[in-house]
Amino acid sequence: MTGFSGGLRVPWWSALAEVGLGLLTVWPMALGVVIAVLWWPGLVRSLRGPQRWLPIAWLVLAAMYLDAAVDSPLNLSVLYFRGQDRIAVPLAMLSALLVVPGVQAWAGRLRRSWAGDAPRHRRRVVAALVALATIAVLSSIPPRLDNAAKNLDEHYPGRGRFLQADERAQFARVAPELDGEGSVLASPYSGAAHMYALHGVRVHLPVAGMALTDADRAAIEAVPLAGTSPEHCRALLDQGIGYVYQERRLYQIDPAFTSIGRGGDDLGPVVFETEHSRLIEVGCDPAR
């Protein structure tokens, strides 16, 4: 995915802490710390065994995660996705796999440490490590609760969201009156992408990251010109597009959908408008 801007940029030491402590973005953070205690010995154990592909794959994705987290000029993460939240998903999957050899490694260590002839100081070390892991887990909870509250709040000042509170209310108001035969053309990073799930509204591009056809691109590029150009008007109508939704506060910027937000004043009547968005009914004439 080369057409997307980076995710939330963090300092390099914060990025290292996210990977090292299991505090990957979009994770249940306390659980991430517990898993990190298990996957690190699993990583070492796997490097010595026949399943070397697993730790090597983990290291590759960890490097891509760090690259995305700091918005590195090396741009390594563009090989998968330019955003650490997306890379966190496969990195989490590999980390979960490394838990298995990690548990095996810890089990062997504990058996030796608690054996009857084991030195007493070894037992103290094990107890201290368990205590530190518990403290790390508990200390990760308060800051994540604050972030969870922000995500659940209808209003998140300073950051775009897929669905803003005011546009959700407006869509709920007009959804029963919309023509069911006409789909809504909008950036999949806007609130319109969720209207097919919430209110059964037909949406032309419902999934972020979907592959665009030539007809899709023609319809997108036609939005600013369709009001005065029969050819571009036909490009919309041929795709069954009855409405265009323009959002000025997108969750994610993708140049492929930029034209949707341009022009449109002569496209047709405005169905509703908020301070950052509007829904326009396509009323152009392809026969002019």
Side-chain angles (χ1 to χ4, degrees), residues 70-122:
V70 300
D71 275 353
S72 165
L74 295 176
N75 215 23
L76 298 176
S77 58
V78 80
L79 294 171
Y80 180 70
F81 203 99
R82 189 62 171 164
Q84 67 270 37
D85 52 345
R86 306 303 197 277
I87 301 175
V89 176
L91 186 58
M93 295 168 63
L94 292 175
S95 300
L97 289 176
L98 287 170
V99 165
V100 176
V103 169
Q104 294 171 339
W106 274 112
R109 172 69 65 179
L110 290 173
R111 280 195 300 267
R112 291 190 297 271
S113 299
W114 291 98
D117 57 347
R120 183 172 298 178
H121 73 275
R122 184 177 293 178

Side-chain angles (χ1 to χ4, degrees), residues 28 32 69 125 203 261 269:
V125 170
V203 180

Side-chain angles (χ1 to χ4, degrees), residues 9 26 175 178:
R9 184 176 183 179
V26 309
L178 298 181

Side-chain angles (χ1 to χ4, degrees), residues 9-271:
R9 184 176 183 179
V10 299
W12 64 267
W13 60 86
S14 180
L16 286 174
E18 289 182 11
V19 173
L21 298 176
L23 301 177
L24 302 179
T25 182
V26 309
W27 268 46
M29 296 304 177
L31 179 60
V33 177
V34 175
I35 295 176
V37 175
L38 298 173
W39 90 54
W40 280 113
L43 186 74
V44 175
R45 183 185 178 95
S46 298
L47 284 170
R48 300 171 181 170
Q51 303 292 336
R52 291 188 181 90
W53 67 268
L54 178 56
I56 291 173
W58 188 94
L59 291 169
V60 169
L61 277 170
M64 293 171 62
Y65 181 94
L66 294 171
D67 175 90
V70 300
D71 275 353
S72 165
L74 295 176
N75 215 23
L76 298 176
S77 58
V78 80
L79 294 171
Y80 180 70
F81 203 99
R82 189 62 171 164
Q84 67 270 37
D85 52 345
R86 306 303 197 277
I87 301 175
V89 176
L91 186 58
M93 295 168 63
L94 292 175
S95 300
L97 289 176
L98 287 170
V99 165
V100 176
V103 169
Q104 294 171 339
W106 274 112
R109 172 69 65 179
L110 290 173
R111 280 195 300 267
R112 291 190 297 271
S113 299
W114 291 98
D117 57 347
R120 183 172 298 178
H121 73 275
R122 184 177 293 178
R123 298 184 183 184
R124 295 195 185 102
V125 170
V126 172
L129 289 175
V130 172
L132 288 173
T134 302
I135 293 172
V137 170
L138 296 176
S139 65
S140 72
I141 294 176
R144 308 322 303 176
L145 288 176
D146 180 57
N147 284 346
K150 291 179 181 177
N151 287 329
L152 293 173
D153 194 350
E154 285 191 345
H155 302 280
Y156 197 149
R159 186 176 181 184
R161 311 191 75 174
F162 265 115
L163 192 59
Q164 307 286 347
D166 52 356
E167 63 181 325
R168 180 171 60 85
Q170 290 291 344
F171 265 115
R173 180 180 63 83
V174 304
E177 306 169 4
L178 298 181
D179 181 5
E181 298 299 318
S183 61
V184 178
L185 176 64
S187 168
Y189 294 103
S190 72
H194 294 281
M195 290 305 103
Y196 75 99
L198 293 177
H199 301 292
V201 176
R202 291 182 59 186
V203 180
H204 190 72
L205 302 171
V207 182
M210 65 183 294
L212 298 178
T213 66
D214 290 340
D216 293 333
R217 296 183 186 279
I220 290 170
E221 297 300 323
V223 172
L225 304 171
T228 56
S229 168
E231 178 184 356
H232 290 93
C233 178
R234 196 173 299 110
L236 290 177
L237 298 179
D238 287 348
Q239 293 296 303
I241 295 169
Y243 304 90
V244 172
Y245 181 72
Q246 298 178 324
E247 168 71 87
R248 295 187 297 274
R249 195 185 298 164
L250 294 166
Y251 170 78
Q252 177 79 35
I253 303 299
D254 183 352
F257 306 104
T258 302
S259 293
I260 295 177
R262 293 176 179 165
D265 293 337
D266 52 3
L267 187 58
V270 175
V271 179

